[in-house]
Amino acid sequence: MTRRHVVLGLCSFTHDSAAALLMDNNLVGFAEEERLTGDKHTAAFPEHAMSWLLDTAGLDATAVDVVAYNFDGRRYLDALPATDLYARIPETQERAQPRADSFRKVHDRFNTRMAHLRERFPRARVAPVLHHRAHSMYAFASSSYDAAAVLIVDSLGEVQTTTIGNGLRLHDGGCRITITEDITDPASLGYAYGAVTEHLGWRRGDEEGTVMALAALGDPTRFRTMIREAIPITDHGFSLDPRCFPLRVLARDYPRVSAAFIAATCPARHPSAPVEQVHADLAAALQERTEQVMVHLARRARTVTGLRLLCLGGGVAANCVAVGKIVEAGIFDEVHVPPAPGDSGTAIGAALAASLDTTRQAASGVAGRCYLGPAYPAVQLSERPRPGLITHRPTAPAKHLAIKLAEGNTVGLFHGRLEAGPRALGNRSILASPLLPEVVERLNATVKFREPFRPFAPVVLAVTAADYFTLCQPAPYMSIASGVTDLTREHIPAIVHVNGTARVQTVTADANPFLAEVLTEFAALTGHPVLINTSLNVKGKPICGTPDMALDCLTQSGLDALMLEGWWVSRC
């Protein structure tokens, strides 16, 4: 029998651990470890995700030919030659040597990690992949484009923070990703946004979306000049002023904002302290500058590549308002953001890159897919699966769910394969009617346990999206903030944020038949094929990836019920 070619892609040892599996150049699946363990942003080796993938493929670890890792840690040493220069500049000299030492330490740690992988997979070749190449491969491969500009913006990949390139599908079945320009550390938009997120009292690398939401309540004029000087735009991109954002040291005990930044803005906010207007104003100035920089980078990508389609990736691509500004600017005919634009998605990108290097062929099964994780179609529930809960199986589950939503219930939906990425896309979601005026307050206060200014995203049937939203392209992965129509403002204002936008998800029956049926049934009852769609979790916990996690979410929150693979689970 012909031996299968098996590539295991890993994001591990840093944060957002995940695994992806290619078999004979076809994507078997992908899963983020946190969804299977409950440990949000875990850095642990993705044991559960890997085991599920290998079991699904009918393989064991000895069948893996290539282990593709989402960093090439040898490139951390590229940061060292600048040490002498930074040591001579007054604003950076204090951190010059600690920065060099920290990059060298990460390089050494990388070698240890690679040795661990070689020991764990003795029959496999371990292939480190340049981080931004992994981002670029996934961003492009997950699109349906034959050729596109590729813009990656994150905090740090080895020494790169921003790359511009192009992707091309070749006639012989191959694929080529070419990075033509890059911006390197210390210029990092992700670093700056994370630094201010932390300063404002939220978790860096987790709650940047909260700062984005808060920005709509602020006045950017208060700190506009200061933030523009801290993040100046250049001909080819941007830079950071070290007087505001000190030189990066890869260690937790080095603050990311300076005393001068604090003096010019506000003291650091404790996470439990009230959110004041000064915090909203700082968030607004940061968000405004982020949008300006992202649009500038998109224009640069258009100029450099000459292409009219754009693929965006990296953590900053999760800033849906900035993505919306790029779309509105009309620089490109269409903009694509993959379902997992952050580091977890680089597990897929690393596998794609390693497979391409081996086979010279582009992998299949990536474009247009977001439901890539475990499913539990055969799950069986007892009549009382938990104290206080009771179950039954409705004969028409989509219609039953739509009726309950129209009646005002907030319902968790656990159906089909687990989504990839940070957005719930209808398989691990909390759904609610947007027609009820108190729904946002109730969801924030009793279900999600999060800040009252946080908005909730809508999901709409793609065929009717233009009636409610001004976005002129598909948005299947809830990646783009869109303007809304008068119909939306009049009938479903609950899904409109203070800034007049909504982070919309458009759904087709081909992509998600069950969710499309629920929306159709809800429209028959209410006249509107639009629902509130937020992730099936509570604040501080990952999206529920297993039935037990979903049942825990029901018992520990203010959800009215849970639709779990056709089982209706409600309170007694």
Side-chain angles (χ1 to χ4, degrees):
M1 186 175 70
T2 304
R3 177 176 169 79
R4 317 299 296 266
H5 184 255
V6 179
V7 180
L8 176 68
L10 296 178
C11 172
S12 184
F13 310 126
T14 53
H15 57 85
D16 296 318
S17 289
L21 191 70
L22 294 179
M23 186 162 65
D24 292 339
N25 247 1
N26 183 68
L27 182 63
V28 173
F30 162 83
E32 288 143 303
E33 187 73 358
E34 65 171 25
R35 312 286 164 84
L36 305 178
T37 66
D39 183 9
K40 194 171 186 180
H41 298 303
T42 181
F45 182 86
E47 196 77 53
H48 295 77
M50 182 194 72
S51 295
W52 167 73
L53 287 164
L54 292 175
D55 288 347
T56 299
L59 304 172
D60 60 28
T62 63
V64 175
D65 297 294
V66 182
V67 176
Y69 186 63
N70 66 328
F71 283 95
D72 187 346
R74 296 166 294 190
R75 297 291 298 276
Y76 282 100
L77 296 181
D78 292 353
L80 303 189
T83 304
D84 289 343
L85 173 62
Y86 292 133
R88 293 194 298 270
I89 300 173
E91 293 84 3
T92 58
Q93 61 185 5
E94 184 177 341
R95 291 197 177 194
Q97 193 57 49
R99 175 182 186 270
D101 293 342
S102 72
F103 274 79
R104 187 179 290 107
K105 182 177 180 179
V106 172
H107 166 268
D108 295 343
R109 189 183 301 147
F110 165 81
N111 287 334
T112 301
R113 290 168 176 170
M114 295 306 96
H116 170 78
L117 292 178
R118 284 190 289 271
E119 181 179 346
R120 188 181 185 105
F121 300 94
R123 298 183 61 178
R125 177 174 63 88
V126 176
V129 175
L130 196 67
H131 189 65
H132 273 233
R133 185 186 179 209
H135 270 306
S136 298
M137 288 291 300
Y138 176 50
F140 180 65
S142 61
S143 77
S144 58
Y145 306 152
D146 291 326
V150 182
L151 172 61
I152 307 299
V153 189
D154 66 1
S155 179
L156 183 69
E158 297 91 22
V159 296
Q160 293 174 317
T161 67
T162 305
T163 52
I164 293 173
N166 59 72
L168 179 66
R169 298 184 196 273
L170 304 176
H171 294 301
D172 63 2
C175 171
R176 184 171 68 232
I177 299 289
T178 304
I179 295 176
T180 55
E181 288 190 358
D182 70 356
I183 298 172
T184 57
D185 186 75
S188 170
L189 194 56
Y191 180 86
Y193 210 103
V196 179
T197 295
E198 192 170 60
H199 182 69
L200 290 174
W202 286 285
R203 292 186 299 275
R204 171 172 52 84
D206 180 29
E207 297 183 295
E208 283 82 354
T210 302
V211 174
M212 181 180 67
L214 177 63
L217 282 67
D219 180 0
T221 61
R222 183 173 183 176
F223 298 116
R224 177 177 287 150
T225 299
M226 190 275 295
I227 290 293
R228 284 183 175 181
E229 292 174 351
I231 311 175
I233 287 176
T234 66
D235 288 345
H236 289 184
F238 66 96
S239 62
L240 295 188
D241 187 337
R243 293 172 296 182
C244 293
F245 298 107
L247 203 62
R248 183 199 308 257
V249 178
L250 300 175
R252 293 182 180 180
D253 51 349
Y254 283 83
R256 295 192 170 205
V257 297
S258 67
F261 179 93
I262 296 169
T265 57
C266 61
R269 171 183 164 269
H270 189 275
S272 63
V275 178
E276 301 175 3
Q277 189 59 45
V278 66
H279 304 131
D281 291 346
L282 179 55
L286 174 70
Q287 177 63 28
E288 178 185 71
R289 193 54 166 172
T290 298
E291 294 163 14
Q292 292 167 349
V293 172
M294 289 293 283
V295 170
H296 177 65
L297 290 169
R299 291 190 189 280
R300 181 64 188 168
R302 174 77 174 90
T303 299
V304 168
T305 66
L307 297 169
R308 296 207 56 84
L309 298 170
L310 175 67
C311 297
L312 272 174
V316 183
N319 192 304
C320 64
V321 180
V323 178
K325 295 294 183 182
I326 293 173
V327 173
E328 289 175 4
I331 305 164
F332 293 92
D333 294 340
E334 190 170 289
V335 176
H336 167 77
V337 182
D343 276 8
S344 66
T346 59
I348 300 177
L352 295 173
S355 183
L356 179 65
D357 291 345
T358 302
T359 68
R360 304 302 175 189
Q361 296 290 305
S364 60
V366 185
R369 293 182 67 194
C370 63
Y371 307 109
L372 295 167
Y376 302 84
V379 65
Q380 294 294 315
L381 298 181
S382 64
E383 183 181 359
R384 296 183 182 273
R386 298 285 173 85
L389 300 182
I390 191 168
T391 65
H392 78 278
R393 289 185 72 93
T395 55
K399 185 173 184 176
H400 181 84
L401 175 54
I403 291 170
K404 292 298 183 180
L405 292 169
E407 291 173 350
N409 289 275
T410 57
V411 183
L413 175 58
F414 187 107
H415 177 84
R417 294 187 70 169
L418 175 64
E419 298 97 326
R423 321 290 194 202
L425 300 173
N427 282 12
R428 304 291 185 272
S429 290
I430 293 172
L431 302 178
S433 169
L435 301 170
L436 307 176
E438 75 284 357
V439 67
V440 170
E441 180 180 353
R442 182 188 171 198
L443 280 168
N444 273 327
T446 67
V447 178
K448 299 288 284 188
F449 305 113
R450 65 184 200 178
E451 297 82 4
F453 57 81
R454 297 276 298 275
F456 287 98
V459 57
V460 61
L461 287 173
V463 293
T464 60
D467 296 336
Y468 296 89
F469 305 99
T470 61
L471 186 65
C472 298
Q473 66 162 78
Y477 308 133
M478 205 184 285
S479 305
I480 308 169
S482 168
V484 300
T485 65
D486 290 340
L487 178 66
T488 298
R489 279 187 286 268
E490 181 180 355
H491 291 284
I492 47 174
I495 57 92
V496 185
H497 194 31
V498 178
N499 60 8
T501 70
R503 188 183 69 203
V504 61
Q505 178 194 3
T506 55
V507 173
T508 66
D510 288 340
N512 193 320
F514 184 80
L515 182 57
E517 185 181 356
V518 173
L519 287 164
T520 301
E521 294 286 355
F522 186 79
L525 294 166
T526 67
H528 299 286
V530 185
L531 287 166
I532 286 175
N533 176 16
T534 188
S535 54
L536 184 59
N537 69 317
V538 296
K539 183 178 171 67
K541 295 287 187 180
I543 293 174
C544 299
T546 69
D548 281 341
M549 291 170 71
L551 289 168
D552 287 344
C553 186
L554 175 60
T555 60
Q556 295 168 9
S557 74
L559 279 175
D560 295 306
L562 171 69
M563 178 68 80
L564 197 165
E565 292 296 352
W567 294 91
W568 182 255
V569 189
S570 57
R571 303 181 191 278
C572 298

